Amino acid sequence: MSVIIPVRGKPNELWFTLQGLAHAGFGEASEIIVVDNEPDADVEEVCRYYDRPWLRYIPAGEVASVNYPRTVGAEQATGDWLLTIDSHVLLQPGTFDDLSRRIAAGSYPEGALVHFGISFGGPNIYGGYRLTLDENFWGAWELLLPEGCADPYPVAASGNWALLTRRADWQRLGGFNPGFRGYGGDEIYIQLKYWRQGGQVLLDPALRGCHWSGKRGYSFDLDAFLRNVALGGRIVVGDEFLERFAEPLERFYSPRAGHPDLVGEALRAGAAMAEGHQETRQLDAAPLTFDDVRSLWQRLNVQM
């Protein structure tokens, strides 16, 4: 297994995450790949401290995105399975033993993208996002991990703080698009991409972690968020995306935009980036329609 950790500064958080992996049962038969998308000497020093062949540091230059560095790491990975996690999370003890048992038992079908339950320090452990078709494309942490549920179950989407998939599936689907910037707006993209290609998006209640940092290396940028939404939506849903989604997005976000044309310009810019993009051409399944997405979200947008 290859564990991929995108980093943007904050070496102290990376240190605790690496220490936490040991308590979670990480075995040296696997590898850890730290992708530093704003190369930092202190981050590199944390990696050098371990001086182990299974820990690799990749200075990726200014990638300017939270999620694309996961694809950069996946391109260098050697494991049959990829686990990408944020650099400020702690996995529960025994996670890797649980993963080994799940994989050996065939719990994850081919084409699966697996999410973990997450705590933000309070009593609640969350599973999937609650999504809407109009304003909140970012998703909202409202669906709690169900009590008494032991088996993986399908979700519409969840946060990308931890993603598990076969390396072969990730390579086939292409991971995250390099055009994404900042964070936000690309959460639903990777999930819809798996659904479009006949895969599944699952939440495994046996796998859990704690998100212990409220701050990221990026501040929220509405322009980048909207471009991400349009880029991912145009690739996965096709031309129908702006026809059906632009108006509710403009209605909701224009009062927050600062000037009236920002929303429309950002959406058009994101859609233009997708036009003729290699990824738009390489997805061999037909684009999801608006009704496909609505049906999928309505079916899975429930508390299990």
Side-chain angles (χ1 to χ4, degrees), residues 182-226:
Y183 72 92
D186 50 3
E187 287 90 343
I188 64 168
Y189 153 85
I190 192 71
Q191 288 84 4
L192 287 179
K193 197 174 177 182
Y194 269 72
W195 285 118
R196 170 176 166 172
Q197 293 297 105
Q200 296 185 53
V201 180
L202 303 175
L203 192 290
D204 190 336
L207 307 175
R208 305 179 183 188
C210 178
H211 192 286
W212 61 280
S213 170
K215 294 186 177 293
R216 302 169 176 85
Y218 301 90
S219 58
F220 179 70
D221 183 327
L222 180 60
D223 180 73
F225 165 71
L226 291 168

Side-chain angles (χ1 to χ4, degrees), residues 11-35:
N12 59 318
E13 294 184 357
L14 174 64
W15 168 265
F16 282 105
T17 296
L18 291 173
Q19 293 290 95
L21 287 177
H23 291 286
F26 173 80
E28 295 188 12
S30 301
E31 65 178 353
I32 298 173
I33 301 173
V34 175
V35 182

Side-chain angles (χ1 to χ4, degrees), residues 25-292:
F26 173 80
E28 295 188 12
S30 301
E31 65 178 353
I32 298 173
I33 301 173
V34 175
V35 182
D36 191 352
N37 68 329
E38 190 179 54
D40 182 289
D42 291 335
V43 169
E44 185 176 8
E45 181 64 27
V46 168
C47 296
R48 279 208 310 263
Y49 169 83
Y50 285 88
D51 191 26
R52 295 290 188 272
W54 43 261
L55 177 58
R56 297 158 58 192
Y57 171 79
I58 299 177
E62 179 50 69
V63 177
S65 164
V66 169
N67 283 318
Y68 183 64
R70 303 176 197 270
T71 298
V72 174
E75 291 170 350
Q76 303 293 322
T78 61
D80 292 335
W81 289 82
L82 305 178
L83 171 61
T84 78
I85 62 172
D86 286 352
S87 61
H88 41 255
V89 298
L90 297 175
L91 301 180
Q92 69 178 1
T95 292
F96 289 93
D97 289 338
D98 291 336
L99 278 174
S100 295
R101 285 192 290 269
R102 291 290 210 200
I103 291 171
S107 299
Y108 309 131
E110 185 176 346
L113 180 69
V114 183
H115 291 281
F116 294 19
I118 186 170
S119 165
F120 295 95
N124 292 330
I125 300 178
Y126 295 92
Y129 276 168
R130 188 181 299 280
L131 299 170
T132 69
L133 282 170
D134 43 26
E135 54 203 40
N136 195 0
F137 273 77
W138 203 356
W141 287 107
E142 294 181 358
L143 303 181
L144 298 177
L145 210 62
E147 294 184 9
C149 180
D151 297 323
Y153 59 89
V155 293
S158 190
N160 293 333
W161 72 273
L163 297 172
L164 174 73
T165 192
R166 289 175 176 82
R167 182 162 61 100
D169 290 330
W170 188 271
Q171 291 174 330
R172 177 170 61 89
L173 296 177
F176 286 97
N177 190 286
F180 289 128
R181 294 291 180 267
Y183 72 92
D186 50 3
E187 287 90 343
I188 64 168
Y189 153 85
I190 192 71
Q191 288 84 4
L192 287 179
K193 197 174 177 182
Y194 269 72
W195 285 118
R196 170 176 166 172
Q197 293 297 105
Q200 296 185 53
V201 180
L202 303 175
L203 192 290
D204 190 336
L207 307 175
R208 305 179 183 188
C210 178
H211 192 286
W212 61 280
S213 170
K215 294 186 177 293
R216 302 169 176 85
Y218 301 90
S219 58
F220 179 70
D221 183 327
L222 180 60
D223 180 73
F225 165 71
L226 291 168
R227 280 191 289 111
N228 290 348
V229 167
L231 170 62
R234 172 63 179 77
I235 286 174
V236 181
V237 181
D239 292 331
E240 190 181 19
F241 177 81
L242 281 185
E243 296 171 8
R244 302 294 293 270
F245 290 93
E247 192 278 330
L249 283 169
E250 290 194 39
R251 184 178 65 250
F252 183 77
Y253 284 107
S254 289
R256 299 159 173 77
H259 69 85
D261 297 327
L262 184 147
V263 176
E265 291 174 358
L267 291 173
R268 288 189 292 273
M273 291 171 67
E275 189 69 32
H277 193 282
Q278 176 184 354
E279 186 178 6
T280 309
R281 299 192 301 270
Q282 78 183 27
L283 293 177
D284 52 27
L288 295 170
T289 67
F290 177 89
D291 289 335
D292 291 334

